[in-house]
Amino acid sequence: MYQADGPLFERAEKAGGARTDIGFDELRMAAGITATNFPDAAQRDRVPTVTLEGTRVSAG
């Protein structure tokens, strides 16, 4: 994972397509999310969005 995805993440940072205030190590949460068994497809599809957007209520 580190050998392939680490350089990919670094290229995305340099190209402006990824945050520069975090490191690849902080993305390890993705491994935990993808290894989880979800009770249904709806929850499986919802979890990545919640993970990426956080639990904040949007203003407005």
Side-chain angles (χ1 to χ4, degrees):
M1 183 166 99
Y2 283 92
Q3 290 176 342
D5 294 338
L8 180 63
F9 183 69
E10 289 172 12
R11 286 196 305 272
E13 285 179 318
K14 289 176 183 173
R19 292 173 53 168
T20 58
D21 62 332
I22 60 172
F24 183 71
D25 282 337
E26 292 165 299
L27 298 178
R28 287 187 283 177
M29 68 178 167
I33 292 167
T34 58
T36 302
N37 292 317
F38 297 104
D40 56 56
Q43 185 184 36
R44 181 200 64 225
D45 294 343
R46 194 172 49 249
V47 167
T49 300
V50 172
T51 303
L52 294 172
E53 294 179 1
T55 58
R56 295 182 190 177
V57 176
S58 56

